[in-house]
Amino acid sequence: HEYWRTVDHTDTSVEFTGNWKPNLKPDKKCFMSSEMVSTTFGDTVTYTFNGTRARAYGRTGRNLGTFKVYVDGEYLETVRCNYAPRAQEKVFQTPLLPDGEHTLKLEKVKADFNGEVYIDSFSYESINNSKR
């Protein structure tokens, strides 16, 4: 069984640094009808969760930007958001991690596409999510 729970970007487990702003015209598919947008290199969003895996959801689209991904402080990979336009899209999922507290950090980087990046929500998997 997979036990996923979704949290909005406004949750206390999510921390934005830099020049993130609310998207004033969010897509109607956005979780909780809102998302954050950044156009500034170096802006970060960090999600702290207790479990085994996490996902970040945002937006993909033409000329959108790129994130460097860190899990528990270690650089993992760079992910591009420059794909078919979609809201509430999974932009990254961590590998399976030992059960416990982890951090997933996304950092906007300067890349081929210097467009904005969006963060909508996060989800995490934990065996504890099976309990109501």
Side-chain angles (χ1 to χ4, degrees), residues 66-71 74-80 91-95 105-107:
T66 303
F67 286 117
K68 272 188 186 169
V69 179
Y70 300 85
V71 173
E74 303 258 332
Y75 170 76
L76 277 197
E77 64 180 288
T78 299
V79 293
R80 289 175 44 205
V91 293
F92 185 76
Q93 177 174 312
T94 69
K105 181 169 111 177
L106 303 177
E107 176 185 5

Side-chain angles (χ1 to χ4, degrees), residues 30-125:
C30 285
F31 186 73
M32 306 289 283
S33 304
S34 65
E35 64 186 353
M36 297 292 280
V37 59
S38 168
T39 55
T40 308
F41 308 133
D43 277 5
T44 64
V45 56
T46 304
Y47 173 53
T48 303
F49 65 98
N50 225 303
T52 52
R53 283 191 291 187
R55 294 173 178 154
Y57 295 89
R59 186 184 283 250
T60 56
R62 289 176 60 96
N63 302 320
L64 291 190
T66 303
F67 286 117
K68 272 188 186 169
V69 179
Y70 300 85
V71 173
D72 297 336
E74 303 258 332
Y75 170 76
L76 277 197
E77 64 180 288
T78 299
V79 293
R80 289 175 44 205
C81 301
N82 182 47
Y83 295 103
R86 268 193 209 106
Q88 183 55 16
E89 184 73 359
K90 180 171 68 180
V91 293
F92 185 76
Q93 177 174 312
T94 69
L96 198 57
L97 302 165
D99 194 20
E101 186 172 287
H102 300 283
T103 57
L104 168 58
K105 181 169 111 177
L106 303 177
E107 176 185 5
K108 180 173 170 25
V109 293
K110 189 168 181 173
D112 302 337
F113 300 97
N114 294 331
E116 63 266 12
V117 288
Y118 294 83
I119 287 295
D120 183 3
S121 61
F122 292 88
S123 64
Y124 68 102
E125 183 185 48

Side-chain angles (χ1 to χ4, degrees), residues 5-26:
R5 185 164 292 164
T6 301
V7 299
D8 191 46
H9 68 267
T10 57
D11 192 81
T12 56
S13 61
V14 180
E15 183 184 350
F16 290 92
T17 61
N19 298 304
W20 291 89
K21 292 179 175 48
N23 181 10
L24 298 179
K25 294 184 179 172

